[in-house]
Amino acid sequence: MTVAETDIPSLVQDIAFRARKSSLILANVDSDRKNKAILRLAELIEANVPALQEENQKDLDAGETAGLSSSMLNRLQLNEKRISSMVEGARQVAALPDPVGESLDTYNHPQGFTIEKVRVPIGVIGIIYESRPNVTVDCAILCLKSGNASILRGGKEAFHTNTALAKLVSQALDETGLPADAVQFIPTTDRAALNTLLKLNEQIQCIIPRGGEGLIRFVSENSTIPVIKHYDGICTVFVDKAADIAMAESIVVNAKTQYPSVCNAAENLLVHREVLEFHLPQIARGLAAKGVTLKADPEAAEVLESAGIDCEVATEEDWSTEYLDLTISIKVVDSVEEAMGFINKYGSSHSEAIVTADKDTAEAFLNGVDSSTVYWNVSTRFTDGFEFGLGAEIGISTDRLHARGPMGLRELCSYKYKVVGEGQIRG
Amino acid sequence: MTVAETDIPSLVQDIAFRARKSSLILANVDSDRKNKAILRLAELIEANVPALQEENQKDLDAGETAGLSSSMLNRLQLNEKRISSMVEGARQVAALPDPVGESLDTYNHPQGFTIEKVRVPIGVIGIIYESRPNVTVDCAILCLKSGNASILRGGKEAFHTNTALAKLVSQALDETGLPADAVQFIPTTDRAALNTLLKLNEQIQCIIPRGGEGLIRFVSENSTIPVIKHYDGICTVFVDKAADIAMAESIVVNAKTQYPSVCNAAENLLVHREVLEFHLPQIARGLAAKGVTLKADPEAAEVLESAGIDCEVATEEDWSTEYLDLTISIKVVDSVEEAMGFINKYGSSHSEAIVTADKDTAEAFLNGVDSSTVYWNVSTRFTDGFEFGLGAEIGISTDRLHARGPMGLRELCSYKYKVVGEGQIRG
């Protein structure tokens, strides 16, 4: 679909008005109907694999012509594994409890009436994402289940795939009698559409950008609608002087290498000076065996070199670099206080771990590190909605307001107060 | 204190850096020390009433010279009643339970470690306010109690009073051994300071504007830091066909007249057509007896005129006007659905009430009205942190994210996950 440039603001406004209207209906639709729509979508995706892949191929061809990097092309690809994981994800979300209507608190007012705090949807959520087409389905489903209308604005690279997926979403809504406007896909990737969208704070209550730092920054700086940010993770593991050496090696290697391209992978390793000579070589050998490049401060570098382990020299910039790759920065510290100061300065407040047998040191770390998730003797790799028992996640918030850390269905909700009395007035 | 214009950005940056640093300390200060500082501040205010009033007089004199309206001058005034209410408020907050450290949830991971969700402060909160000097003390105390560092930026009209109050806050912090930077007052009202402040999203985690719509709009549109908005209330009472007439009169009169200048006062009255001729005259006489000006749609106006009650004709604009005064708009509706549609269109999602004896109609209203607080047979005037059992409030949020409705100490907090294990790694 091509949209004339001059029509874009009114097109987007119209989408937002209809989303707002449908959100008021959707807020009171029962779980059963929402689940039916989600399960129907799963069926429709399964029944349309060849057609989806055909559309996806158009995007892949265009991407190759445009000279996209291989990692970009990889993200763009909708292969069978990704399709079945989308379908499986949909069925899992349908099986989760509905967060809407849950009673959160009750207060009995001295004048004899009751005040109940009840979970309700946020309203209309705008999802701004880049090249991964599975986001279209994942986010549509999570918003639908939590009773929110959604407006999806995907990246231009995946436009054909997204359009095809969005058509199936509409069909599923239609066939199960839900408002067609409950999930809307913006049929243009013109920047003007995004710029209009980000200012519609009367109709849209929340914006969630999903993608790289550039996108998130653009959205936060230009939106007058509240944004929940999911920045990447600069995560640190601190090996304390009271660390068990085998546990330290195992946790550091896991946090760095088990899945290096995700946000909860470790980027920095801090080692307490008192155990530097003993612990660092063993940990470093574990990392090197997995192909990790080591970037060390001068003192750590000396220890590594004496032990015959290759390393590079770390720069100031490395401490706040998210490699998303098999590289780690290593620094020596004198105390848990110094470790915490380092993390609070250079980290991204995402996930950090301490390895220690000392309870007091661990508690100081858990309290003093200002990150959404803090680990004692556990790998940082567990920061994830599924691992935290949320059943699903729309992302991992790096904000402090509303949702912090893994964000599931409950975090896609707000609340309201219902007050019931018998004519009480304020004196 | 005068600050050269060129120094303002670096002055504000320095304040924010120091606030961030002190917030990391304050997050782990025990309740006892925070309460001591709050109680000491109450004492200091009591001991300095003449000096405070002298500074306040300077602001009042300047305000009069500048031609401020009488309501502005009234807001500016720090009379004895307001001072003792500030002091009493401080003692009440000191007596409240500390929200920090409260365990919100625990999840046992299948691999044998535990994930605990714990309440923690947000971090650094910027309060942007206008002419009421009591905000300086009220907000400083609420932020302190909830473990947040605060940066206060008051309006120029109250600059002398605010500066004097801020000095007492610093003295209280100092005398009780808390970081001096835990509460900082911006020593200039130059707009450049505000513009700098609103972009410091690395140091400041939340902005709360307290004041009129213009201020809130300016702050939301210019801040790259998440903002919690406290817009005013366009609240509606709906008198259903199944309403008890005496209860309807009592609730409407209370909601409109008990304190008309506050956000939870009613501005609109909707009456079901089936009871219009019977109910409206009695309610209108009750309102008129309190001096309320009635603005009615043509049908309601006819009924009022036949009953010999004066009224004006309501315009479209009136439905979304917050009078904050003894004026009410009256409209006839055919059903609860029409009432809900009206409220969701013209209201500000603050507080709305239905008066009815019909349970189904009431439930439709409580579910379908998209406001932070919905009342069945209770006056809208109860939307308030104290009335809701929160013990105190920093305001009434009109946002959906994070806090909605009355915002107390808990709503001034975020949370973090503490994960404790024995070496678990992700497979």
Side-chain angles (χ1 to χ4, degrees), chain A residues 4 29 97 123 134 154 232 292 317 337 345 355:
Chain A
V29 164
N134 59 301
D232 292 334
V292 177
E317 207 190 336
E337 287 74 24
K345 180 173 177 189
V355 186

Side-chain angles (χ1 to χ4, degrees), chain A residues 109 367 377 387 402 418 423, chain B residues 109 367 377 387 402 418 423:
Chain A
H109 190 277
N367 292 327
N377 292 343
E387 298 292 336
H402 194 74
K418 292 183 180 178
Chain B
H109 189 277
N367 292 326
N377 293 344
E387 298 293 336
H402 194 74
K418 292 184 179 179

Side-chain angles (χ1 to χ4, degrees), chain A residues 135-334:
Chain A
V135 173
T136 306
V137 168
D138 295 352
C139 290
I141 285 172
L142 288 167
C143 289
L144 189 60
K145 176 84 186 201
S146 53
N148 294 290
S150 56
I151 300 175
L152 309 172
R153 192 276 191 189
K156 65 174 182 304
E157 298 81 7
F159 189 68
H160 290 99
T161 319
N162 286 336
T163 304
L165 288 168
K167 244 178 90 179
L168 298 182
V169 174
S170 298
Q171 192 182 335
L173 292 171
D174 186 52
E175 288 180 17
T176 49
L178 287 180
D181 299 329
V183 182
Q184 291 177 87
F185 181 72
I186 298 212
T188 165
T189 57
D190 195 304
R191 204 26 99 91
L194 181 56
N195 288 333
T196 301
L197 191 78
L198 295 177
K199 308 288 183 200
L200 297 176
N201 38 277
E202 297 277 315
Q203 284 74 45
I204 305 172
Q205 282 75 44
C206 173
I207 295 282
I208 302 179
R210 288 271 312 253
E213 200 182 320
L215 174 81
I216 301 176
R217 206 168 293 280
F218 177 84
V219 167
S220 335
E221 284 173 5
N222 289 282
S223 177
T224 58
I225 304 165
V227 176
I228 298 180
K229 297 185 283 295
H230 297 71
Y231 275 124
D232 292 334
I234 299 160
C235 306
T236 296
V237 179
F238 169 46
V239 176
D240 179 49
K241 64 179 174 183
D244 174 89
I245 187 168
M247 191 193 286
E249 183 193 344
S250 158
I251 287 177
V252 172
V253 171
N254 184 260
K256 178 68 255 180
T257 70
Q258 194 249 346
Y259 196 171
S261 65
V262 292
C263 60
N264 57 22
E267 307 294 358
N268 290 320
L269 166 63
L270 302 178
V271 183
H272 197 291
R273 178 165 282 117
E274 285 185 31
V275 294
L276 183 67
E277 291 187 34
F278 187 62
H279 281 30
L280 183 58
Q282 178 170 332
I283 297 168
R285 281 193 196 98
L287 290 166
K290 297 275 186 177
V292 177
T293 300
L294 312 175
K295 292 188 160 197
D297 74 354
E299 199 178 344
E302 216 183 290
V303 170
L304 290 171
E305 275 157 30
S306 328
I309 302 164
D310 278 348
C311 71
E312 297 173 13
V313 175
T315 63
E316 171 82 8
E317 207 190 336
D318 286 323
W319 310 132
S320 52
T321 298
E322 189 187 31
Y323 299 114
L324 294 175
D325 206 342
L326 287 174
T327 302
I328 196 164
S329 310
I330 305 171
K331 196 181 187 314
V332 183
V333 295
D334 268 322

